[in-house]
Amino acid sequence: MSVGDKEAVKRRIEGLFQVKTQEEMIARNLRNVRFKVGVISGKGGVGKSTITANIAVALALKGYKVAVFDSDFHGPSIPKMLGVEDASLNVTNDKKIIPVEGPLGIKVMSIAYFLPDKTEAVIWRGPLKKKFFDDLAMYTLWGELDFLLFDLPPGTGDEALNLAQSIKDISGVIAVTQPTEVSALAVAKSINFARKVNIRVLGVIENMSYFICGDGNKYKIFSGDGGKMLSEMYNIPLLGRVPIDPRVAEYGDSGYSILIKNPDSEFSKVFNEIVERLVSILGVE
Ligand SMILES: Nc1ncnc2c1ncn2[C@@H]1O[C@H](COP(=O)(O)OP(=O)(O)O)[C@@H](O)[C@H]1O
Ligand SMILES: [Mg+2]
């Protein structure tokens, strides 16, 4: 054995016995995840969770292995939207948590599975959120994935910071806005936040951009051009403009995705284009 080989063996042994930091343990647990993407926005109700759930479905429909980590501590809605609200988590003998399996094999982990009741208000203090977020990132059996998507609560609070601090090699975030200036300005703060913590903003999605009426015409419901405005202000790609479709809300409440139910809808077409752009921006082959 050469001196170089001996050194390599020594380093490996040291590595095995080294006490790992929380971040290292998370990185180790996520080592087989190719892309980690967060979905952010400055405001609630803009459709962040709807967008996250549908990006997951659109990617899974293209054959990618996908998981969603719903880290909205105060309003976790991914399990309901993906129809796995009543499922429960299992734990392996070596204390790893098996995520729930949603449509198309999408793995789902959510704070919701730890809450006593759907309507219970849990008081989460900042450090507790960080601990819980880290534990779930670290002990969930994510396995081999192409994409791990993080759904976040609105704003630049604890959860967004936890994501930035705990997932060191995050691929980037997608910002979701509505067309209005009020919405776009709030989202601008989230983009600034991401930049401050050195996270790449992969693009912006404008949700609820227009409505297609029965007569086939497009009607703009909300004024403004928030997606374009943010895209130009920050020089980031506009990934797409998503229409309002009442079926999206209805299906969301009953745990279905419109991409599966109505693949020919305008919403589904737009989503396909969004994930194609995303995949190309990330350089996924
Ligand atoms: N493009 C859309 N068309 C119709 N309803 C939508 C659309 N986007 C979101 N919604 C509905 O609006 C509500 C809020 O969306 P949600 O994804 O929960 O927002 P957020 O996660 O940003 O708080 C949900 O009931 C959802 O079904
Ligand atoms: Mg949400």
Side-chain angles (χ1 to χ4, degrees), residues 44-50 52 70 72 75-78 81 151-154:
V46 300
K48 222 176 321 82
S49 303
T50 305
T52 312
D70 176 5
D72 185 342
S77 32
I78 292 294
M81 287 181 179
D151 187 24
L152 293 169

Side-chain angles (χ1 to χ4, degrees), residues 43-50 81 207-208 242-245 248-249 267:
K43 272 194 168 301
V46 300
K48 222 176 321 82
S49 303
T50 305
M81 287 181 179
N207 189 25
M208 309 193 190
V242 180
I244 298 174
D245 188 324
V248 170
F267 187 100

Side-chain angles (χ1 to χ4, degrees), residues 113-161:
Y113 295 126
F114 297 87
L115 301 181
D117 177 283
K118 272 182 237 174
T119 55
E120 185 88 29
V122 179
I123 298 171
W124 291 97
R125 298 212 183 265
L128 189 61
K129 283 192 208 174
K130 164 101 174 111
K131 174 86 178 78
F132 209 76
F133 178 90
D134 284 358
D135 281 352
L136 290 187
M138 204 158 48
Y139 296 118
T140 300
L141 262 185
W142 300 106
E144 266 195 33
L145 291 174
D146 295 306
F147 291 92
L148 174 57
L149 306 175
F150 296 84
D151 187 24
L152 293 169
T156 51
D158 289 314
E159 292 83 346
L161 198 58

